[in-house]
Amino acid sequence: MNKTAQAPPVFRKTADTFAAGAKTLPQQYFVSEKIFEEEQTKIFAQHWVLVGHQSQIAKGGDYFSAQVAGESLITVRDQRSTIRGFYNVCRHRGTRLCEDNGGQVRAIQCPYHAWTYALDGRLIGAPHMDEVPGFDKADYSLHAVNLALWEGFIFVSLAEKSASTKRGGYISLEEWFAPLTGKFAHWNLPTLRSAKRIQYDVRANWKLIFENYSECYHCPGVHPALSKLTPYDSAENDLSEGPFLGGFMRITKGKSLSMSGNACALPVGDLRAEDHTRVFYYSIFPNMLLSLHPDYVMVHQIWPESPERTRILCDWFFHPEAAGVGDPSYNPEDAIEFWDMTNRQDWQVCELSQQGIASRAYEPGPYSPRESIPAAWDREYLRSLKD
């Protein structure tokens, strides 16, 4: 997408955007199966959702599968290097085509009757179907899913293109992400490479993950190591309403968010001087958490499994040359260990929140002015659920 220059963002202290009287969501939003199903239908099946990064499928024939709103999808790079998305459904009798999470293929072949598809989705082999009058392979290509890239990240949408473009209907990825055009160009996100992925199974509602990510009110008690490296009250936000929320927190000068407290890799991009002492945290509705550090980028994919369970995929991205230039500072485990520890601290309190919210004694409580971003996230969530 075009990375045209933007006006410098205006950052405001978290408390300055607080809406007086904001409270946490009622209990049913965290425990109701009916609401969970509505979320899948109205949010995850209608919005653009993150499924991966282009570096995961670097070569022609590389693919991975993902589950979105109950649908299994295949994301593949074809032989011309185009990234494509398809429903994981054979056009013959509906058999699931790819059972693995990912791999390398020359073509996509159904395990049932060996119908075979090129990587661009065309049916190229259908045994004995030439005996069927009027059968034309051109009529039975794989069903494509809407797929587009933003800053190297792969998003899909199950919304029908014929749907209304009102809020909640189909909208192109370029139009949806227009407010972020060029915003993260300094981090060179398309070129980064994941050093590691960790999957977490959290016994808490997915909304609690977003609310937790969006505030550091909890940091002094929950994250002592993190609080030593970044002041918990230093948050300033430039996006405080809508589907994209967040801003930065300050990093102690000369430090990085790692176990050693030191930078663990080359800078990820051509950062502005002030950004070498900042870490940026943005939530991208409905399933992406983007954390931009000077020396690495961390991304969480959020996948609701049930009202009380969430699967989280966390990737740590680094400069593509970091491991190959003999830089002694390159130590990705320094950051991975730090955030794995911090993630698990977050998941524990999210699980405790889930347990308490399920109690008959729970009722919505008041947000603190330090929680203006979680309150804004709740407002966006409720708007999306009503559409």
Side-chain angles (χ1 to χ4, degrees), residues 119-159:
L119 300 182
D120 61 5
R122 291 177 297 115
L123 179 64
I124 56 175
H128 305 295
M129 294 301 295
D130 54 352
E131 303 167 10
V132 177
F135 178 80
D136 185 346
K137 289 196 288 289
D139 296 332
Y140 293 94
S141 296
L142 292 176
H143 287 301
V145 65
N146 303 314
L147 180 149
L149 272 68
W150 172 78
E151 294 289 357
F153 290 97
I154 304 168
F155 288 77
V156 298
S157 170
L158 304 186

Side-chain angles (χ1 to χ4, degrees), residues 44 206 209-210 287-289 300-304 310-312:
F44 283 85
W206 68 286
I209 308 301
F210 273 92
N287 81 320
M288 183 181 190
L289 303 177
H300 295 82
Q301 291 182 43
I302 309 300
W303 295 107
T310 304
R311 180 170 54 92
I312 302 173

Side-chain angles (χ1 to χ4, degrees), residues 79-380:
Q79 300 298 353
R80 295 186 177 181
S81 205
T82 301
I83 296 176
R84 301 177 181 274
F86 304 105
Y87 285 88
N88 194 3
V89 178
C90 182
R91 294 298 309 277
H92 177 213
R93 286 172 56 181
T95 306
R96 180 159 294 183
L97 297 163
C98 297
E99 300 176 78
D100 297 331
N101 292 330
Q104 231 284 335
V105 292
R106 292 185 177 182
I108 299 170
Q109 186 173 78
C110 179
Y112 200 175
H113 298 98
W115 280 35
T116 304
Y117 304 86
L119 300 182
D120 61 5
R122 291 177 297 115
L123 179 64
I124 56 175
H128 305 295
M129 294 301 295
D130 54 352
E131 303 167 10
V132 177
F135 178 80
D136 185 346
K137 289 196 288 289
D139 296 332
Y140 293 94
S141 296
L142 292 176
H143 287 301
V145 65
N146 303 314
L147 180 149
L149 272 68
W150 172 78
E151 294 289 357
F153 290 97
I154 304 168
F155 288 77
V156 298
S157 170
L158 304 186
E160 295 291 336
K161 286 189 175 181
S162 60
S164 167
T165 56
K166 73 176 181 65
R167 189 184 193 89
Y170 179 79
I171 182 173
S172 72
L173 187 74
E174 186 170 14
E175 186 178 355
W176 177 244
F177 274 95
L180 301 184
T181 300
K183 184 175 182 62
F184 305 119
H186 294 290
W187 280 266
N188 293 326
L189 296 176
T191 70
L192 302 185
R193 298 290 183 271
S194 175
K196 188 164 185 176
R197 168 176 287 182
I198 296 179
Q199 178 171 301
Y200 302 95
D201 181 14
V202 184
R203 296 186 298 275
N205 186 276
W206 68 286
K207 295 182 289 295
L208 293 175
I209 308 301
F210 273 92
E211 292 164 357
N212 171 273
Y213 177 84
S214 301
E215 51 91 359
C216 213
Y217 183 31
H218 70 280
C219 290
V222 177
H223 304 307
L226 178 64
S227 296
K228 289 179 181 178
L229 295 170
T230 180
Y232 83 99
D233 58 353
S234 65
E236 296 185 31
N237 304 300
D238 61 326
L239 299 178
S240 56
E241 198 66 41
F244 314 119
L245 298 167
F248 72 83
M249 293 183 66
R250 301 191 187 280
I251 304 172
T252 303
K253 189 173 182 180
K255 294 296 183 180
S256 176
L257 300 190
S258 63
M259 293 302 291
S260 69
N262 300 318
C264 60
L266 294 169
V268 290
D270 182 21
L271 303 183
R272 293 176 288 240
E274 63 270 23
D275 292 340
H276 285 275
T277 56
R278 294 173 174 177
V279 55
F280 291 82
Y281 299 102
Y282 289 95
S283 62
I284 296 177
F285 195 84
N287 81 320
M288 183 181 190
L289 303 177
L290 177 63
S291 307
L292 302 128
H293 302 69
D295 47 341
Y296 62 95
V297 170
M298 181 174 63
V299 175
H300 295 82
Q301 291 182 43
I302 309 300
W303 295 107
E305 298 289 320
S306 76
E308 299 89 13
R309 209 168 201 101
T310 304
R311 180 170 54 92
I312 302 173
L313 303 178
C314 185
D315 283 279
W316 287 263
F317 291 89
F318 291 84
H319 191 292
E321 297 178 2
V325 297
D327 181 2
S329 71
Y330 182 62
N331 181 17
E333 284 299 326
D334 204 9
I336 293 165
E337 184 180 350
F338 180 85
W339 277 108
D340 183 42
M341 171 188 69
T342 306
N343 282 338
R344 294 179 191 276
Q345 292 166 344
D346 279 329
W347 310 155
Q348 181 185 22
V349 292
C350 287
E351 291 181 346
L352 293 174
S353 293
Q354 183 70 34
Q355 293 168 22
I357 289 169
S359 168
R360 68 186 67 188
Y362 170 79
E363 57 187 34
Y367 275 125
S368 158
R370 295 193 184 280
E371 299 171 293
S372 63
I373 299 300
W377 193 92
D378 288 352
R379 291 193 292 271
E380 179 65 22

